[in-house]
Amino acid sequence: MVDVDRDDAAPPEGADAPDVPLLRMEGIVKHFPGAKALDGVDLDVLPGEVHCLLGQNGAGKSTLIKVLAGAHQPTSGRIVLDGEEIAIPHPVAALRHGVATIYQELDVVDGLTVAENVFLGHELDRGGFTQRREAIRSTREMLRRLGHPEISPHREVGRLSAAGKQIVSMARALSHDARVIVMDEPSAVLDAGEVQNLFRVVRGLTAQGVAVVYISHRLEEIRQIGDRITVLKNGRTVGRDLPAATTPTAELIRLMTGRNVEYAFPTRPGVPEDAPVVLDVEDLALAGTFEDVSFQVRAGEIVGLAGLVGAGRSEILETLYGARRRTAGSVAVKGRRLRSGSVDAAVAAGIGLCPEERKSQGLVLDEPVYRNITLSTFARIARGGWLDERAERAAAREQVAALDLRPAGVDRAARTLSGGNQQKALLGRWLVHGCDVLLLDEPTRGVDVGARSELYALVRRLADAGTAVVVVSSEIPEVLGLADHVLVVSEGRVVHRAPAQDIDEHRVLDLVMEGTVA
Amino acid sequence: MSTQVDASPAAESRSSWLSGPAGRTVGLVVALVLLAVVGVITGGERFASLDNVMTILRLASVTGVLAIGMTFVITAGGIDLSVGSVLGLATVWASTLATQTMAEDLHWTVMVLTGLAVGTAAGLINGLIIAYGKVVAFIATLAMMIAARGLAEMISGRQTQVVQVDGFLDFVRADFIGVPVLVWMFVVVAVAGWFLFNRTTFGRRTVAVGGNAEASRLAGIKVQRHLLYVYGLSGLTAGIAGVMMLGRTTAGTSTNGLYYELEVIAAVVVGGTLLIGGRGTIVGTVIGVLIFAMLTNVFTINNLSISAQNVAKGVIIVVAVLIQQRFAARSTST
């Protein structure tokens, strides 16, 4: 056994042969035309452990799991399962070997029932007739094993939440008698409560000897659920056999990025008492979603909204932005009340929103970067309805330089930018516009670790320049680290407010859970 | 567009030149030239005469004007199935006894204004239903297509209304510098459309809304109002095309413009405008319209049937879209 000593979670079982890996990948190389996606990756997974795979976007995690799932063929390298070298020529072979993959975009068919999804592709049949009763019985059994007996096998999957769909995917893995289950960012679609539930399920699986390969960007999660960590960078294994609980964050980030990046939040200069109130939200409500939300943001202040997904945080932002029509209350910018349900009024008053879903709500992906940056301002830059593209490009270039957006060309399609740089383009849009209030919904979702600190620093710089900022994030440490003042939202109500220094993650979780129970 | 001082991205845009907008236009021009070569080989003098060129252009002008409006609608992420019917309604309304009498009494432009007003009104109704009533464009304009045709039949009593206002006929049927006024109208609409599309905030909004309506809304663009205008514009072009049709055939009937919407949509898509919205090209649309007009002309000159023509048009649509998808795949992978 490796020297992992943890007291919060039981170390891997397997008293018979704890040192023998269940799955071993050796020197995996994968060439694509014109690119080397994997350049010698080693990975060994013990039975009953949660093995975390870390790496930045493009490090090769996805390619590696696709090799394991039989979706890609390695150019060279060995895959050993249970001491025997195996080949995985296609996805069905992977399942036959007991290796199941749960992708981030859950591959369930919405129109089918839970049981039909579980046995999708290997329907139980006798002479061409599906054995529905048997399928339902064994689906029910697997759901119970996963600790979710409340999900009915007859339920249409499209009506389940993302968390429910994930459970269905896991049941499908179990239906293949999976011994290795690969989970690609399973928590990305879950809120904090659902993540805890997922962890329970994962622990249940490992207790039965199943090995879980767990991919996540969130270090806090890996510390909670993981046993050992393998770090990938540029298609190579750069760190192996690292204890998940005790390896310092700085060390992990250094391995992932190859540089010494402090995953650090900028210091708070403190908001002066006499700073003017810029955004004043009073008794704001959206029927059925949230009510009685009141807060003020002063110039230079960052206010964070913490809480679970579904608590109403995004809805609060969208409502005060006018994207949803409020049912009560008022929103004022610099003392001027905003018309309800009108985004263009909010924008005209100086509010800007960087939405949660950058791709579907933020950017026109096929349009060039400069047009995305000037999407809110091209009409103002234009003269009498005639576009001034020269001035637009100049304004965009200025932002690209100021934000260090890479690559710097403003004529490439927004689609080609990485998550962090897309976020910068959105920030640039509001900087050109000249916002007094900036609303950030999940500003670092899908942004890799190296780029996050940079975004944090940017947001703080904007605040220092006098912008009032409101941040919503599912990652509680992010809210606590970035904001000056924190509002905890639960079930559509603000249940607590405090300066960020006076509250910690546990307190936030406590409040959120209490709110849920109440 | 690329005359601006662009230091860094010049290299990258040069490498993907053929897969860019310019490359697509070149491809369309090549197709047009090939078609002309076929015309010359098979039709000889009858094809390659100035008279025949004018015939092709005249043929292209009515659908061409419709196609300019349609380019805006499709780029904005919508569709307008009603243009053919609205064109028919405009010809009927502009040629009723009452309108013609008024035109005789006041001025022949009364007929023109009636046609434009009818078209614009129908387009705005489409826009209202789609933008504010949140009805899918396909359904809303399908309903308008049926209703406008019916209204045209009711107004005309299924009779052919012959135009007798000389001022109108003299104007529309005239030549200017050897080119028919109809063709000039197409040219004016196309040039105006190009500027509106590429050089104004209206055009930018159209592309943005079609590319991502939600992002546009959250950036502060008044998406609903813009869609209203876009469908209004399509109605206006249907009105203009109706007036042109009235001049060409000298008669208003409820069957004017039957099935035009299909040829128009085909020409726009062949021209390179994406049916899902977010990308459009006026130049491509004009060439697409010319390709279809020239094809019809080549078939007519060779005494081939309309049926054979339709088969050929069907093939062209599919081939053009297949080629487009290749280009699209290549340009997004770089």
Side-chain angles (χ1 to χ4, degrees):
Chain A
M1 191 56 231
V2 285
D3 55 339
V4 184
D5 31 20
R6 308 179 50 189
D7 29 30
D8 53 331
E13 313 278 344
D16 34 338
D19 285 311
V20 178
L22 177 61
L23 170 75
R24 168 167 244 143
M25 299 177 85
E26 288 173 12
I28 303 290
V29 174
K30 173 66 185 173
H31 294 277
F32 286 115
K36 210 180 235 183
L38 297 179
D39 191 16
V41 172
D42 300 323
L43 175 73
D44 60 287
V45 182
L46 300 171
E49 80 164 335
V50 177
H51 194 106
C52 298
L53 205 50
L54 262 182
Q56 286 187 279
N57 293 335
K61 291 170 300 182
S62 306
T63 312
L64 184 70
I65 64 169
K66 280 182 180 158
V67 166
L68 193 54
H72 286 330
Q73 293 312 305
T75 311
S76 68
R78 287 174 3 116
I79 303 174
V80 180
L81 186 72
D82 245 354
E84 261 181 66
E85 182 166 351
I86 59 165
I88 309 178
H90 48 79
V92 177
L95 291 170
R96 217 172 276 146
H97 285 296
V99 178
T101 305
I102 294 167
Y103 291 103
Q104 198 176 348
E105 310 78 35
L106 296 166
D107 47 353
V108 291
V109 182
D110 281 347
L112 297 180
T113 65
V114 170
E116 284 164 340
N117 264 287
V118 167
F119 286 98
L120 193 68
H122 63 130
E123 287 79 6
L124 302 173
D125 69 330
R126 188 172 295 156
F129 291 94
T130 51
Q131 299 292 97
R132 291 189 54 226
R133 194 169 306 163
E134 172 59 17
I136 285 163
R137 192 199 58 73
S138 86
T139 299
R140 191 168 282 138
E141 161 63 23
M142 281 178 286
L143 290 170
R144 192 160 44 234
R145 246 178 95 190
L146 291 168
H148 283 271
E150 81 284 359
I151 298 177
S152 161
H154 299 284
R155 188 75 177 275
E156 199 179 295
V157 163
R159 291 165 58 198
L160 295 175
S161 65
K165 289 179 184 180
Q166 208 165 53
I167 296 295
V168 173
S169 282
M170 279 187 250
R172 185 191 290 164
L174 291 181
S175 77
H176 287 281
D177 290 322
R179 288 179 295 165
V180 179
I181 298 183
V182 183
M183 296 185 186
D184 187 8
E185 299 235 27
S187 61
V189 291
L190 306 180
D191 66 42
E194 290 168 335
V195 169
Q196 292 307 321
N197 197 358
L198 170 72
F199 287 177
R200 263 203 309 282
V201 172
V202 167
R203 291 204 184 95
L205 288 171
T206 51
Q208 296 164 30
V210 175
V212 172
V213 178
Y214 191 95
I215 298 173
S216 176
H217 267 124
R218 303 182 185 170
L219 290 177
E220 317 83 70
E221 274 178 29
I222 287 174
R223 299 221 178 280
Q224 251 192 79
I225 189 72
D227 294 306
R228 292 187 306 147
I229 301 177
T230 294
V231 183
L232 299 188
K233 176 173 176 285
N234 297 337
R236 278 173 215 248
T237 300
V238 293
R240 71 184 75 198
D241 203 18
L242 303 164
T246 53
T247 309
T249 302
E251 167 74 2
L252 291 174
I253 292 176
R254 190 189 59 75
L255 285 169
M256 273 193 285
T257 60
R259 335 168 235 155
N260 284 309
V261 183
E262 278 300 303
Y263 188 50
F265 294 99
T267 51
R268 304 183 179 87
V271 184
E273 281 301 319
D274 60 343
V277 170
V278 179
L279 176 69
D280 191 352
V281 180
E282 216 171 308
D283 300 327
L284 193 67
L286 180 67
T289 311
F290 65 84
E291 54 192 18
D292 290 340
V293 173
S294 304
F295 62 93
Q296 296 185 328
V297 190
R298 289 179 293 168
E301 188 179 23
I302 303 179
V303 167
L305 301 184
L308 304 180
V309 171
R313 301 160 317 172
S314 296
E315 289 81 357
I316 291 172
L317 284 195
E318 287 169 11
T319 306
L320 77 86
Y321 190 57
R324 293 163 183 260
R325 192 174 290 277
R326 62 182 182 244
T327 45
S330 68
V331 178
V333 176
K334 291 186 166 172
R336 285 188 45 207
R337 250 186 89 139
L338 293 186
R339 208 164 74 230
S340 170
S342 165
V343 171
D344 44 279
V347 171
I351 307 188
L353 169 74
C354 295
E356 182 175 8
E357 302 289 338
R358 268 189 300 280
K359 291 184 179 177
S360 64
Q361 300 181 303
L363 297 166
V364 186
L365 289 170
D366 288 323
E367 285 277 272
V369 170
Y370 80 89
R371 289 190 185 175
N372 274 286
I373 290 180
T374 58
L375 191 62
S376 298
T377 41
F378 66 85
R380 196 175 70 199
I381 294 171
R383 281 163 309 202
W386 294 90
L387 295 171
D388 186 346
E389 297 208 315
R390 187 187 298 258
E392 283 185 49
R393 279 200 175 83
R397 273 203 207 95
E398 199 179 302
Q399 295 308 326
V400 163
L403 300 168
D404 193 22
L405 192 153
R406 283 171 304 231
V410 295
D411 284 287
R412 58 169 53 239
R415 182 185 296 285
T416 61
L417 297 181
S418 69
N421 285 299
Q422 289 183 344
Q423 191 64 270
K424 286 182 185 175
L426 286 175
L427 282 174
R429 175 186 297 168
W430 298 119
L431 289 173
V432 174
H433 184 262
C435 277
D436 296 314
V437 180
L438 196 55
L439 311 176
L440 306 173
D441 198 351
E442 304 282 359
T444 60
R445 172 168 293 179
V447 174
D448 56 64
V449 185
R452 284 186 186 194
S453 313
E454 208 183 335
L455 274 175
Y456 297 144
L458 267 175
V459 172
R460 177 51 74 184
R461 252 193 3 247
L462 288 176
D464 290 348
T467 312
V469 181
V470 183
V471 179
V472 159
S473 173
S474 298
E475 297 191 32
I476 294 164
E478 183 168 291
V479 177
L480 299 182
L482 193 55
D484 297 301
H485 207 87
V486 176
L487 306 187
V488 181
V489 184
S490 176
E491 303 252 295
R493 286 174 175 278
V494 177
V495 294
H496 188 74
R497 54 185 78 213
Q501 301 97 307
D502 301 351
I503 190 166
D504 62 15
E505 193 175 354
H506 290 285
R507 177 78 182 120
V508 172
L509 277 172
D510 275 355
L511 286 162
V512 164
M513 298 300 172
E514 273 169 35
T516 313
V517 174
Chain B
M1 275 185 89
S2 52
T3 49
Q4 264 90 5
V5 242
D6 262 346
S8 50
E12 112 198 12
S13 64
R14 196 176 303 132
S15 66
S16 59
W17 182 78
L18 264 179
S19 60
R24 278 192 294 273
T25 308
V26 169
L28 285 170
V29 171
V30 168
L32 194 63
V33 169
L34 284 179
L35 202 54
V37 169
V38 173
V40 171
I41 293 169
T42 58
E45 278 297 293
R46 281 189 301 147
F47 180 83
S49 68
L50 197 60
D51 261 3
N52 192 50
V53 170
M54 287 306 154
T55 305
I56 294 173
L57 289 177
R58 207 180 289 124
L59 199 63
S61 60
V62 173
T63 45
V65 168
L66 291 175
I68 298 300
M70 188 69 80
T71 304
F72 281 86
V73 172
I74 293 181
T75 304
I79 194 81
D80 189 348
L81 298 177
S82 70
V83 290
S85 293
V86 171
L87 181 158
L89 179 63
T91 66
V92 166
W93 207 315
S95 61
T96 55
L97 198 58
T99 316
Q100 292 208 42
T101 309
M102 208 202 283
E104 296 274 19
D105 291 349
L106 294 169
H107 195 262
W108 59 266
T109 47
V110 167
M111 290 177 67
V112 175
L113 293 175
T114 304
L116 302 192
V118 168
T120 309
L124 288 174
I125 292 172
N126 278 335
L128 279 175
I129 295 173
I130 293 163
Y132 295 95
K134 313 252 187 245
V135 174
V136 179
F138 188 94
I139 298 300
T141 59
L142 181 69
M144 178 59 79
M145 168 178 147
I146 296 166
R149 189 70 70 191
L151 185 58
E153 286 171 359
M154 284 164 64
I155 292 174
S156 66
R158 296 177 178 248
Q159 302 295 308
T160 300
Q161 302 172 161
V162 178
V163 177
Q164 283 158 333
V165 180
D166 293 331
F168 176 75
L169 293 177
D170 289 346
F171 172 75
V172 183
R173 298 177 70 77
D175 281 6
F176 179 65
I177 336 179
V179 176
V181 164
L182 282 182
V183 175
W184 281 114
M185 290 172 85
F186 175 33
V187 170
V188 168
V189 170
V191 170
W194 187 89
F195 275 101
L196 187 63
F197 195 94
N198 294 299
R199 289 286 181 265
T200 70
T201 53
F202 185 90
R204 174 68 64 78
R205 282 191 196 101
T206 305
V207 176
V209 166
N212 190 338
E214 179 67 0
S216 302
R217 184 177 80 103
L218 292 179
I221 293 175
K222 299 182 175 87
V223 173
Q224 289 173 308
R225 188 194 291 182
H226 187 71
L227 284 177
L228 175 68
Y229 292 162
V230 166
Y231 284 95
L233 177 69
S234 178
L236 174 63
T237 57
I240 296 172
V243 170
M244 293 162 70
M245 187 87 168
L246 205 53
R248 201 176 81 192
T249 62
T250 70
T253 78
S254 57
T255 55
N256 273 340
L258 198 60
Y259 302 134
Y260 274 28
E261 59 280 348
L262 300 181
E263 181 151 338
V264 167
I265 292 168
V268 170
V269 172
V270 164
T273 296
L274 277 189
L275 204 45
I276 52 165
R279 195 181 76 203
T281 147
I282 297 289
V283 173
T285 293
V286 169
I287 301 176
V289 168
L290 290 178
I291 287 176
F292 278 104
M294 195 182 282
L295 190 76
T296 305
N297 181 257
V298 170
F299 274 67
T300 313
I301 281 177
N302 289 297
N303 293 322
L304 293 168
S305 69
I306 302 262
S307 315
Q309 230 177 79
N310 287 340
V311 172
K313 283 181 183 172
V315 171
I316 286 187
I317 293 170
V318 171
V319 170
V321 172
L322 283 176
I323 292 173
Q324 256 191 46
Q325 285 173 347
R326 284 290 154 73
F327 276 129
R330 198 187 303 169
S331 59
T332 48
S333 67
T334 45

